[in-house]
Amino acid sequence: MNVVQAAESLLALSQQEELEDLSKDDPLSPSEDEGDIDGERKHKKLLEAISSLDGKNRRKLAERSEASLKVSEFNVTSEGSGEKLVLSDLLGPVKTSSSLAAVKKQLNRVKSKKTVELPLNKEEVERIHREVAFNKTSQALSKWDPIVLKNRQAEQLVFPLKKEQSAFAPIEHVLSGWKARTPLEQEVFNLLHKNKQPVTDPLLTPVEKASLKAMSLEEAKMHRAELQRARALQSYYEARARREKKIKSKKYHKVLKKGRVRKALKEFEKLQKVNPTAALEELEKIEKARMMERMSLKHQNSGKWAKSKAIMAKYDLEARQAMQEQLARNKELTQKLQAASDSEEEEEGAEEEGELVPDAVNEIQMDANGPNPWMLRNHSRGTKEIKVQDPEQLPEPVAHEASENEEEDRPGAEEEILLNEFEERRSLRKKSGLSQEAELVSRQEPKDSSSQEVLSELRALSQKLSQENQQSGKQNVSSARTVLAVQREEPTEAEEEPLLLQRPERAHTVEELEELGKEGCFQNKEVPRPVGEGQQSERNPDNQPGAPKEKKRKEQMIDLQNLLTTKSPSVKSLAVPMTVEELEDEEERDQKQMIKEAFAGDDVIRDFLKEKREAVEASKPKDVDLTLPGWGEWGGMGLKPSAKKRRRFLIKTPEGPPRKDKNLPHVIINEKRNVHAAAHQVRVLPYPFTHHRQFERTIQTPIGSTWNTQRAFQKLTTPKVVTKPGHIIKPIKAEDVGYRSSSRSDLSVVQRNPKQLSIRHKKHLKKNSVD
Amino acid sequence: METAPKPGRDVPPKKNRLQAKKKKPRRYWEEETTLTAAGASPGPPGNKKRNREPRPQRPKNANIAKKSRVSRKRQLPKKPRERRNLEPQRSVSGAQDPFPGPAPVPVEVARKFRRIDKSEKLPHSKSKTRSRLEVAEAEEEEISTKAARSELLLAEEPGFLEGEDGEDTAKIRQADIVEAVDIASAAKHFDLNLRQFGPYRLNYSPTGRHLAFGGRRGHVATLDWVTKRLMCEINVMEAVRDIRFLHSEALLAVAQNRWLHIYDNQGIELHCIRRCDRVTRLEFLPFHFLLATASETGFLTYLDVSVGKIVAALNARAGRLDVMTKNPYNAVIHLGHSNGTVSLWSPAMKEPLAKILCHRGGVRAVAVDSTGTYMATSGLDHQLKIFDLRGTFQPLCARTLPQGAGHLAFSQRGLLAAGMGDVVNIWAGQGKASPPSLEQPYLTHRLSGHVHGLHFCPFEDVLGVGHNGGVTSMLVPGAAEPNFDGLESNPYRSQKQRQEWEVKALLEKVPAELICLDPRALAEVDVISLEQEKKERVERLGYDPEAKAPFQPKPKQKGRSSTASLVKRKRKVMDEQHRDKVRQSLEQQPQKQEKAKPLRARPSALDRFVR
């Protein structure tokens, strides 16, 4: 609003001005002076109005004007009344007078004093207090962490914690009241006295006592703590040094180096002041070090200048020359003074290579000559080739030199030549590599062929074997047919026996089987059947040709039968039951009974298989059929929904795990869950375990006294916390767990690392400082 | 005749004697632990003595020695968690223990007490879990060493019978054995001539001290067979089908013609259980306090004798039941049926846990050994078979007998007795954990009448045989466990001790529904409901809280972590996971293919003609 008003006033003012101007223009002004003054005033007004626009000094300064008849130029004007009065202005004139010195001083003091900052508001202060307090207490409490952890993991805690010191040497006290009475005792004591053994009062010798006294427990603990601290500090510094050493930043190292140099310089200056001779020596040393460094090959082409030249050298001839010069100078400087008896050519060659070959190649060659096994291994191939090629190629550049000695631009040309050579070498190397590869391949080929031969042989063998197997299998089958096939009467049932099929065939000669039968061992399931049944099967041979599946099923069935009707050796027992001995015709009857039982047995097996099949069917999860007959097609009597539709709306349940009795034809194992027993089982995994097998392992061992010795039982069932009745259980103290004293250690913790404040707190502090 | 009364009878031993034994006989749920060394060592070679006597089972001095040792041990001040005791202690005089530290324990012995199968690989676990597992394993090791060390206390060795070189032990008659053994053992062989009341069934009490027998014509008697003191003798005026002691010798269940009756040791009828009618066979499961009855009507009924309630009545649907035995290892009841099957029952399930087809004819007798590993069956087809009960139910060996065995019984150490007509044959295996080999009988004995009941006496090398002409107690060296558990079944216990034991046993009664084929399965987590609960939780929360967070690549150095490279890295990890999955599925596939292959026969040229 104010702004708007100001703008309006401004507008009004300008209009007024215009009007006035107009009025000025029309009648000629009576006096120019007056007009000037008036104009000035107006201008000021305008400025003020504009300055008041920004809203800060909105208050309009009331214009002070006196009604005076004469306005002289010496008069005080009210112009500049808006300016502040500054203390120095006032003090300026006071300077000369000495009487006002005290006042001036006072004033100066007032001036130097700054205003007190506004105190933080209450919440802020409280928060800071809280944080500081929190940090302090958390640090003080953190020393309890290991103890808490230990107590949590402890198998047993006994409260009250403070144990009574078990009396170590009550024997002395016990013995002090005792005296030798009997003559034997006296004699013994006499002997002991003779040997200067301490008898009654101090059982320990003075030396032992002194050694015991030498270090009290408290002291030892203190000492240990100190040592620990020292060790911790040392390790801390070591770790820090290691960390700093690892830093890869160049800038960091540069800064570090600079700092070091500066420090050294400072020290040097100090030294100069204190001990100039020592300083001179130091200076010499530094100089020497510098010289050594410059002399060494280290800086020949790794400086900034050299690097830039190296880059430019490819394009710029001058740069190339400069580099050459530098290198030559370097050579000169570093060359040992010696008799020039050595063959110059060699040297030259070496020089050339040293000069012009790129660093990497240099390195490799040096390595090849030198004893660095690592590099050697890596580059062995390349170096070898180089070695091989060197004698051929080295003379060439020499020859070139000889021919091109006169030319001025020799180094450049030479370099080009060398570069060309390297190119050639590279290509050669590649070729050789290729050829090697080719060789390898060619070498491999015969191998392959040989291996193929072996393979083919193996294959042939395996084929033979398989053929034999097949034959034997066929024989088996045929023998099974001839000997073992029995239950032809029930092929339909046999077809519904998928579970019994998956049995591996095992070939056995009849003799073997018989032997096995004699042993009475039935682990292999194919046991010869009684001959009578074989005859039975021979009676109806026209049934034999059948599908192989059926045969297998037959075998299965027969297996099951064999399981039951086994021919085992009769008892050679001395005591045969009376009835058997007495009755001669018992045997006949027995035979009859046997046959009868055999017939009955067939029934038994069939019934059992049927039962098993039913059980299997019942335990299988049922498919859900959602087909609606007549929906979307014709329905009615005798019409079935189409196969496609049935397929589409049949929800197949996933096949469960295989039955336990899948491979046991003579067993039906109930797969139902024992819900009552399951109620007693653990069904929630306790905390640290993530897999049920882990937890099961921890509950394998029984705890009860029935399965354990008394000691073990007691150990397994000890309570986690034991409290002594009639004792006051006081809270844990620092002394109880081996700390010195709670208050001191708290303080020490706080003092030792005042910087270890929480990040949040640090931030807070920063904020405060900024404010 | 043993005249001296055992300390258990007249002089009640001190209390701490009960603590003497640390080792117990086997329990249903216990894992197979062969307490006594597997080698029932056949004695020193070249022993000229013709037949070794069965060792006198409990020489008194051995007991005393044990007692004293243990009592000394117990006097040690026992502090919880003392480790310092194990360290060699230095006396004030400076003398040192010449054998510092705990006594060494042979690894072999300790291994049989191990229960954690370390060969089984565990999924990767966090450090916290790993520490828990380590604690559990260390505990197990310590416990097993302790158990192994306490085996020293099993001082008794099993008896044995050994013929001279080449001589068949089966030829050795009872009279010879009796002649050779000491008087106390010889007194254990006796015959009771009871021709009047028909064929007898008999049963020993769990401690092996008492014998009860019931004749077909109603004669029921119990006696302390060691001292031959008759406790009661009654005639129930009804046919007695079976007889069985309950948890102690004080109670006796008799299956009479109509109902099941329970008598006490005075012969007073305590209960008549009419819900169990026409019972033919009885079995008692001591740790569950269950009396299992098989009836003519085809029902298997479980009666909880501690509360007098019928826990379960299961219809076997297989007609008359008259062949029954219990598996002492897992308390499963085995029933033999006329269709040649043996069915395994638990009160928790309405259907049999398993059904095994054993014989072509009906099953006549079934017996299961004390470790629950072997089952012997005999059928109408005159066969005697031994089955392996550990998962496969395969017959291990079989033998045709001239006349099928009508009764079978396993002894504590795995001897198998079969009653065939009037002959009892006993077969022995190599050791305790091996099945009896049916090649050669170990012992044979002819009785004066047809065998009607067989029962090995616990903790005594004695086989009780009930037959037409009465009851015979015959000596079978090496039949029983030589070391008994004084806390569990103490033959010498006083009445007070028996009462104490009864209370403790009742407190430790195992619920009937825990009976299952594999008792170790109870120590497993119920995975199905675990999964179910997890699924429900995921549904409820809308996300899986335990799911592994998807891989999020960490931002790398400045300038290296462009979005493209991040995505590339992410893709890499995803691909790796995918590859793992594919690999796994590929590993599973070949199995299926292998399974599928044998179905298709090898293609042959002639196949085209097959229609």
Side-chain angles (χ1 to χ4, degrees):
Chain A
M1 281 297 285
N2 282 333
V3 176
V4 174
Q5 277 175 359
E8 276 171 5
S9 64
L10 193 69
L11 204 73
L13 207 73
S14 63
Q15 280 171 356
Q16 212 177 6
E17 259 180 356
E18 277 176 15
L19 284 174
E20 275 175 7
D21 282 352
L22 281 176
S23 63
K24 267 181 205 167
D25 287 345
D26 282 345
L28 285 168
S29 52
S31 63
E32 278 192 20
D33 273 3
E34 264 188 28
D36 271 356
I37 289 166
D38 199 41
E40 250 180 21
R41 200 165 57 86
K42 272 181 187 167
H43 181 67
K44 202 133 234 171
K45 230 179 181 177
L46 180 68
L47 280 179
E48 272 172 16
I50 288 165
S51 69
S52 74
L53 263 182
D54 67 352
K56 273 195 178 170
N57 311 338
R58 250 169 267 149
R59 189 158 43 95
K60 271 187 186 167
L61 295 168
E63 191 181 338
R64 232 201 223 178
S65 53
E66 280 166 296
S68 60
L69 291 173
K70 278 202 279 187
V71 182
S72 77
E73 53 185 304
F74 302 110
N75 237 350
V76 177
T77 55
S78 65
E79 284 159 11
S81 63
E83 284 176 25
K84 265 189 178 177
L85 188 68
V86 189
L87 191 66
S88 55
D89 296 346
L90 290 176
L91 287 176
V94 186
K95 251 176 202 168
T96 47
S97 62
S98 58
S99 61
L100 287 172
V103 178
K104 195 184 156 193
K105 226 181 222 172
Q106 263 184 340
L107 280 171
N108 265 334
R109 209 186 303 146
V110 167
K111 188 188 162 194
S112 69
K113 228 176 214 171
K114 272 181 189 170
T115 49
V116 180
E117 263 184 51
L118 210 65
L120 289 172
N121 55 359
K122 203 178 166 190
E123 290 96 54
E124 202 89 325
V125 170
E126 269 179 0
R127 194 195 292 156
I128 290 164
H129 279 304
R130 274 201 306 272
E131 258 170 44
V132 170
F134 171 77
N135 284 329
K136 231 183 201 174
T137 42
S138 62
Q139 263 161 23
L141 287 179
S142 69
K143 68 161 184 170
W144 291 99
D145 287 350
I147 295 152
V148 170
L149 195 69
K150 207 179 86 189
N151 281 358
R152 271 190 198 150
Q153 285 172 347
E155 285 175 35
Q156 192 182 36
L157 291 173
V158 183
F159 292 112
L161 273 176
K162 197 164 186 184
K163 281 173 204 156
E164 284 172 20
Q165 287 281 332
S166 53
F168 271 122
I171 301 159
E172 286 100 287
H173 304 293
V174 171
L175 287 180
S176 61
W178 185 79
K179 273 177 188 174
R181 275 174 215 155
T182 59
L184 178 70
E185 283 169 357
Q186 279 168 356
E187 211 169 300
V188 167
F189 270 78
N190 278 338
L191 270 174
L192 284 175
H193 276 299
K194 267 180 199 166
N195 294 334
K196 290 175 186 173
Q197 286 283 333
V199 182
T200 49
D201 192 15
L203 246 174
L204 299 168
T205 55
V207 181
E208 283 171 339
K209 271 202 165 177
S211 70
L212 269 182
K213 241 182 204 175
M215 192 177 271
S216 70
L217 189 66
E218 191 77 1
E219 264 180 61
K221 272 179 187 170
M222 295 262 279
H223 185 62
R224 206 172 111 237
E226 255 161 46
L227 278 179
Q228 266 177 352
R229 197 175 304 153
R231 229 175 293 139
L233 273 177
Q234 193 190 346
S235 70
Y236 174 70
Y237 278 116
E238 273 173 7
R240 195 176 152 196
R242 220 172 288 138
R243 201 178 59 235
E244 278 176 359
K245 200 181 156 196
K246 256 189 191 172
I247 293 173
K248 278 181 184 162
S249 161
K250 276 184 181 167
K251 196 175 178 188
Y252 170 80
H253 281 291
K254 207 184 270 173
V255 169
L256 207 71
K257 210 191 267 174
K258 267 184 188 170
R260 226 180 280 148
V261 166
R262 214 172 292 143
K263 210 175 165 188
L265 216 67
K266 253 183 199 172
E267 272 175 15
F268 178 72
E269 273 169 16
K270 246 185 220 169
L271 204 70
Q272 221 173 6
K273 277 174 195 168
V274 179
N275 191 358
T277 52
L280 264 179
E281 267 175 30
E282 193 83 344
L283 199 68
E284 235 166 65
K285 232 186 248 172
I286 289 169
E287 187 68 14
K288 203 173 182 183
R290 201 188 67 84
M291 272 160 73
M292 290 285 280
E293 203 180 297
R294 305 274 357 144
M295 281 284 283
S296 67
L297 276 170
K298 210 170 162 190
H299 293 284
Q300 65 168 352
N301 52 4
S302 62
K304 209 182 250 178
W305 177 82
K307 269 183 193 166
S308 70
K309 286 292 156 194
I311 290 166
M312 292 299 287
K314 208 172 181 182
Y315 312 103
D316 193 359
L317 216 130
E318 278 176 36
R320 222 178 292 168
Q321 272 178 348
M323 233 177 97
Q324 285 296 323
E325 252 169 59
Q326 196 239 355
L327 284 173
R329 172 73 57 77
N330 182 43
K331 277 275 137 56
E332 246 173 58
L333 285 173
T334 53
Q335 205 156 29
K336 233 181 192 175
L337 288 171
Q338 57 181 358
S341 61
D342 293 350
S343 62
E344 282 182 18
E345 276 188 319
E346 269 183 21
E347 267 185 30
E348 258 188 328
E351 258 180 58
E352 276 158 24
E353 283 204 352
E355 277 169 18
L356 302 169
V357 170
D359 284 356
V361 180
N362 245 339
E363 271 173 18
I364 289 169
Q365 284 194 336
M366 272 170 66
D367 291 329
N369 298 332
N372 191 344
W374 305 107
M375 299 300 280
L376 205 110
R377 193 179 290 170
N378 282 338
H379 299 279
S380 57
R381 213 167 144 200
T383 49
K384 262 184 206 167
E385 280 170 11
I386 289 168
K387 270 185 184 173
V388 171
Q389 285 160 4
D390 268 345
E392 299 166 9
Q393 297 194 347
L394 269 178
E396 273 186 16
V398 176
H400 275 289
E401 273 172 50
S403 61
E404 292 165 3
N405 243 347
E406 304 89 11
E407 290 177 19
E408 288 292 319
D409 54 349
R410 191 199 103 194
E414 211 173 31
E415 198 179 72
E416 278 176 7
I417 288 159
L418 273 172
L419 279 173
N420 284 340
E421 275 173 19
F422 277 113
E423 282 290 329
E424 279 173 11
R425 271 188 216 174
R426 215 172 290 157
S427 61
L428 262 174
R429 213 177 294 162
K430 269 182 193 170
K431 273 178 198 169
S432 67
L434 275 175
S435 65
Q436 272 196 350
E437 277 177 7
E439 267 187 3
L440 273 175
V441 169
S442 61
R443 252 178 245 155
Q444 274 174 351
E445 274 173 355
K447 255 193 203 170
D448 279 0
S449 60
S450 64
S451 64
Q452 274 176 352
E453 279 175 13
V454 171
L455 269 177
S456 60
E457 274 180 10
L458 277 174
R459 250 173 240 155
L461 265 175
S462 65
Q463 274 176 358
K464 267 186 195 173
L465 277 174
S466 63
Q467 278 173 0
E468 280 173 6
N469 275 347
Q470 270 185 329
Q471 282 174 358
S472 63
K474 274 176 193 169
Q475 279 176 359
N476 265 354
V477 169
S478 59
S479 65
R481 259 183 230 161
T482 49
V483 185
L484 303 178
V486 162
Q487 293 185 325
R488 306 276 148 167
E489 313 94 57
E490 25 176 82
T492 49
E493 261 181 71
E495 274 172 8
E496 295 161 30
E497 285 292 319
L499 281 174
L500 300 178
L501 290 179
Q502 290 117 19
R503 196 66 99 43
E505 271 191 12
R506 283 173 81 178
H508 283 292
T509 58
V510 179
E511 291 92 339
E512 270 179 8
L513 290 173
E514 271 174 3
E515 274 176 19
L516 283 169
K518 267 175 199 166
E519 281 168 14
C521 184
F522 292 79
Q523 266 126 355
N524 46 359
K525 290 142 195 169
E526 293 185 353
V527 187
R529 294 168 40 71
V531 186
E533 277 168 308
Q535 286 167 350
Q536 268 185 12
S537 68
E538 276 174 5
R539 269 178 233 150
N540 43 3
D542 39 333
N543 271 344
Q544 276 179 16
K549 274 185 189 176
E550 273 185 348
K551 270 180 231 159
K552 278 193 175 176
R553 274 168 204 164
K554 288 282 154 54
E555 275 180 62
Q556 194 63 46
M557 302 289 293
I558 288 148
D559 274 350
L560 191 52
Q561 265 208 336
N562 282 336
L563 203 94
L564 298 170
T565 59
T566 48
K567 190 158 192 186
S568 46
S570 57
V571 176
K572 287 180 278 178
S573 165
L574 295 170
V576 182
M578 200 74 85
T579 49
V580 178
E581 274 189 336
E582 280 172 1
L583 297 170
E584 250 75 21
D585 57 338
E586 180 73 19
E587 273 194 13
E588 255 182 71
R589 244 172 64 188
D590 212 37
Q591 279 288 345
K592 276 180 195 170
Q593 206 190 345
M594 278 289 278
I595 291 162
K596 209 172 153 192
E597 279 166 9
F599 277 109
D602 282 353
D603 264 336
V604 162
I605 292 165
R606 198 173 57 197
D607 289 348
F608 187 80
L609 287 175
K610 198 176 163 192
E611 200 180 335
K612 174 154 185 177
R613 207 160 43 236
E614 277 164 9
V616 168
E617 286 299 320
S619 74
K620 257 188 195 165
K622 301 278 181 296
D623 292 348
V624 184
D625 193 2
L626 295 176
T627 340
L628 287 176
W631 189 260
E633 59 190 0
W634 286 106
M637 290 283 283
L639 279 176
K640 275 184 185 172
S642 67
K644 187 184 159 198
K645 199 176 169 191
R646 259 181 289 158
R647 217 181 307 130
R648 200 179 148 200
F649 287 102
L650 189 75
I651 298 166
K652 277 186 182 172
T653 46
E655 215 172 292
R659 280 180 70 91
K660 281 184 221 156
D661 54 6
K662 198 180 161 194
N663 294 323
L664 306 168
H666 64 294
V667 183
I668 307 170
I669 295 175
N670 198 346
E671 299 268 295
K672 268 185 192 163
R673 202 159 150 247
N674 185 352
V675 186
H676 299 289
H680 291 264
Q681 282 179 319
V682 179
R683 56 175 62 195
V684 180
L685 277 183
Y687 157 56
F689 301 103
T690 48
H691 196 271
H692 63 90
R693 280 221 298 276
Q694 293 166 350
F695 178 60
E696 275 163 16
R697 184 163 281 197
T698 60
I699 56 169
Q700 287 293 304
T701 43
I703 298 171
S705 62
T706 320
W707 302 273
N708 292 309
T709 59
Q710 186 66 18
R711 278 286 181 82
F713 170 66
Q714 279 172 349
K715 202 197 162 200
L716 285 170
T717 55
T718 40
K720 193 113 174 59
V721 176
V722 173
T723 53
K724 279 182 190 168
H727 286 258
I728 298 166
I729 299 169
K730 285 176 186 164
I732 193 166
K733 275 188 215 154
E735 289 92 359
D736 292 339
V737 287
Y739 287 115
R740 249 169 285 159
S741 79
S742 56
S743 59
R744 240 182 89 188
S745 60
D746 286 358
L747 273 180
S748 66
V749 165
V750 173
Q751 279 170 358
R752 211 183 298 151
N753 36 14
K755 280 176 191 170
Q756 276 187 11
L757 295 172
S758 68
I759 296 163
R760 199 176 142 215
H761 186 60
K762 267 187 198 164
K763 271 183 192 168
H764 195 88
L765 284 180
K766 222 182 255 175
K767 215 193 291 169
N768 281 350
S769 67
V770 166
D771 285 346
Chain B
M1 197 64 162
E2 195 178 48
T3 48
K6 291 279 181 184
R9 300 271 350 133
D10 296 339
V11 189
K14 281 170 196 167
K15 265 285 161 62
N16 62 2
R17 197 179 164 274
L18 272 177
Q19 320 279 334
K21 292 294 305 234
K22 307 247 155 157
K23 283 275 64 70
K24 331 269 149 138
R26 301 191 26 68
R27 294 214 150 163
Y28 294 146
W29 53 82
E30 213 170 11
E31 210 173 56
E32 187 179 326
T33 55
T34 50
L35 292 184
T36 46
S41 54
N47 198 343
K48 284 294 145 189
K49 203 180 175 191
R50 197 172 160 223
N51 40 24
R52 295 293 303 265
E53 58 221 55
R55 281 181 57 95
Q57 283 297 299
R58 286 167 231 111
K60 253 190 263 170
N61 55 0
N63 270 334
I64 288 161
K66 246 182 269 170
K67 193 207 303 180
S68 64
R69 181 184 299 149
V70 171
S71 62
R72 217 189 307 138
K73 205 176 180 183
R74 289 187 60 77
Q75 277 160 15
L76 285 172
K78 178 92 175 92
K79 284 180 206 164
R81 310 240 152 263
E82 53 190 345
R83 278 276 167 82
R84 224 171 293 150
N85 273 9
L86 298 177
E87 290 166 11
Q89 280 186 338
R90 202 179 267 254
S91 59
V92 177
S93 63
Q96 234 175 336
D97 186 0
F99 305 106
V105 177
V107 185
E108 298 293 310
V109 184
R111 192 177 292 149
K112 68 184 176 194
F113 296 102
R114 291 295 187 86
R115 293 204 166 77
I116 293 177
D117 181 17
K118 274 181 190 160
S119 63
E120 195 181 317
K121 275 271 172 279
L122 283 185
H124 178 73
S125 44
K126 289 180 285 185
S127 64
K128 210 169 217 173
T129 320
R130 222 176 298 133
S131 70
R132 287 280 285 270
L133 288 172
E134 274 161 15
V135 165
E137 271 162 24
E139 217 162 49
E140 186 231 9
E141 191 168 351
E142 195 188 337
I143 286 163
S144 63
T145 46
K146 271 180 179 159
R149 194 168 286 139
S150 72
E151 244 190 18
L152 188 74
L153 303 175
L154 305 177
E156 301 295 318
E157 281 170 17
F160 57 92
L161 182 69
E162 195 183 49
E164 278 175 350
D165 35 21
E167 197 197 4
D168 192 1
T169 50
K171 279 182 185 165
I172 300 167
R173 290 178 297 145
Q174 282 290 306
D176 301 334
I177 296 173
V178 168
E179 213 172 87
V181 298
D182 61 328
I183 304 170
S185 301
K188 287 169 189 167
H189 173 68
F190 59 86
D191 268 310
L192 298 179
N193 276 323
L194 306 162
R195 297 216 160 261
Q196 202 180 346
F197 296 108
Y200 278 89
R201 299 276 303 167
L202 82 170
N203 182 236
Y204 286 99
S205 68
T207 58
R209 182 83 188 184
H210 299 270
L211 172 68
F213 48 87
R216 170 82 57 73
R217 308 223 166 81
H219 177 217
V220 171
T222 61
L223 73 158
D224 180 355
W225 69 273
V226 180
T227 57
K228 316 290 186 302
R229 199 168 65 92
L230 191 66
M231 291 169 75
C232 76
E233 188 168 21
I234 50 170
N235 198 320
V236 295
M237 306 303 286
E238 210 178 355
V240 170
R241 253 72 167 276
D242 202 359
I243 189 164
R244 195 133 307 236
F245 276 114
L246 298 189
H247 55 277
S248 73
E249 61 271 14
L251 291 172
L252 183 69
V254 181
Q256 292 177 18
N257 195 23
R258 252 186 116 183
W259 295 313
L260 175 68
H261 292 256
I262 290 180
Y263 299 90
D264 74 347
N265 54 2
Q266 315 266 307
I268 299 163
E269 184 185 320
L270 299 178
H271 304 288
C272 169
I273 297 148
R274 293 185 188 178
R275 284 193 61 188
C276 304
D277 58 336
R278 306 208 166 271
V279 174
T280 54
R281 284 285 178 272
L282 295 171
E283 272 299 343
F284 186 70
L285 309 172
F287 297 104
H288 304 77
F289 284 87
L290 288 180
L291 182 68
T293 62
S295 69
E296 274 179 357
T297 54
F299 273 88
L300 170 67
T301 313
Y302 286 89
L303 174 71
D304 190 335
V305 297
S306 62
V307 289
K309 246 169 121 179
I310 285 180
V311 173
L314 312 169
N315 191 355
R317 295 172 207 280
R320 184 188 148 95
L321 303 173
D322 55 357
V323 179
M324 175 162 77
T325 192
K326 72 177 173 194
N327 185 343
Y329 171 64
N330 53 13
V332 166
I333 292 287
H334 293 226
L335 292 177
H337 303 295
S338 58
N339 59 358
T341 57
V342 169
S343 54
L344 278 55
W345 294 85
S346 142
M349 300 278 274
K350 288 278 171 206
E351 293 92 39
L353 300 173
K355 253 187 182 182
I356 311 158
L357 183 59
C358 297
H359 292 280
R360 305 196 79 187
V363 177
R364 286 178 74 189
V366 182
V368 181
D369 84 323
S370 60
T371 60
T373 318
Y374 306 111
M375 172 175 76
T377 60
S378 81
L380 277 175
D381 54 355
H382 294 193
Q383 291 236 328
L384 175 62
K385 291 186 182 179
I386 292 178
F387 285 84
D388 188 355
L389 287 182
R390 293 168 294 190
T392 60
F393 303 102
Q394 294 285 349
L396 294 172
C397 51
R399 170 161 212 130
T400 312
L401 304 170
Q403 196 181 8
H407 298 273
L408 292 171
F410 265 109
S411 84
Q412 279 179 327
R413 297 195 73 247
L415 269 61
L416 175 65
M420 303 168 290
D422 57 349
V423 169
V424 173
N425 264 14
I426 296 159
W427 290 278
Q430 298 306 320
K432 204 198 166 190
S434 66
S437 61
L438 300 182
E439 284 296 294
Q440 285 282 330
Y442 177 63
L443 270 181
T444 51
H445 185 57
R446 188 186 294 279
L447 301 151
S448 57
H450 270 264
V451 176
H452 199 64
L454 281 175
H455 199 233
F456 274 102
C457 179
F459 308 113
E460 293 281 4
D461 288 347
V462 163
L463 170 67
V465 186
H467 50 88
N468 275 336
V471 173
T472 302
S473 159
M474 56 182 283
L475 296 181
V476 184
E481 192 62 55
N483 297 290
F484 63 87
D485 182 351
L487 284 176
E488 200 53 53
S489 46
N490 183 1
Y492 307 119
R493 67 188 174 192
S494 63
Q495 198 183 7
K496 203 77 195 160
Q497 283 171 331
R498 197 193 73 210
Q499 286 164 359
E500 288 268 325
W501 168 83
E502 210 168 350
V503 171
K504 276 179 190 159
L506 278 169
L507 285 174
E508 287 176 358
K509 190 179 98 167
V510 183
E513 64 260 24
L514 291 186
I515 297 175
C516 50
L517 264 185
D518 181 16
R520 301 285 299 171
L522 291 172
E524 283 166 10
V525 175
D526 184 7
V527 182
I528 295 170
S529 44
L530 184 77
E531 300 275 307
Q532 181 69 27
E533 258 168 49
K534 195 179 167 190
K535 213 167 140 193
E536 276 168 17
R537 191 163 167 231
V538 168
E539 253 168 40
R540 202 172 55 238
L541 292 175
Y543 71 100
D544 187 3
E546 284 153 19
K548 214 172 138 192
F551 175 73
Q552 196 64 41
K554 274 183 204 159
K556 281 207 171 170
Q557 253 185 330
K558 198 179 167 190
R560 303 249 171 133
S561 68
S562 69
T563 319
S565 76
L566 285 187
V567 168
K568 213 189 264 173
R569 265 191 287 158
K570 207 171 182 177
R571 173 65 45 77
K572 237 186 201 170
V573 173
M574 267 164 62
D575 286 350
E576 189 55 43
Q577 285 168 353
H578 182 69
R579 247 173 267 143
D580 282 347
K581 250 184 220 166
V582 170
R583 226 170 272 144
Q584 276 181 2
S585 66
L586 276 178
E587 274 169 18
Q588 284 171 0
Q589 263 184 357
Q591 295 170 358
K592 277 182 191 170
Q593 282 176 358
E594 275 168 28
K595 278 175 195 166
K597 260 180 192 170
L599 280 176
R600 270 177 277 133
R602 211 178 287 267
S604 89
L606 296 175
D607 274 353
R608 67 193 71 177
F609 302 114
V610 178
R611 283 279 167 239

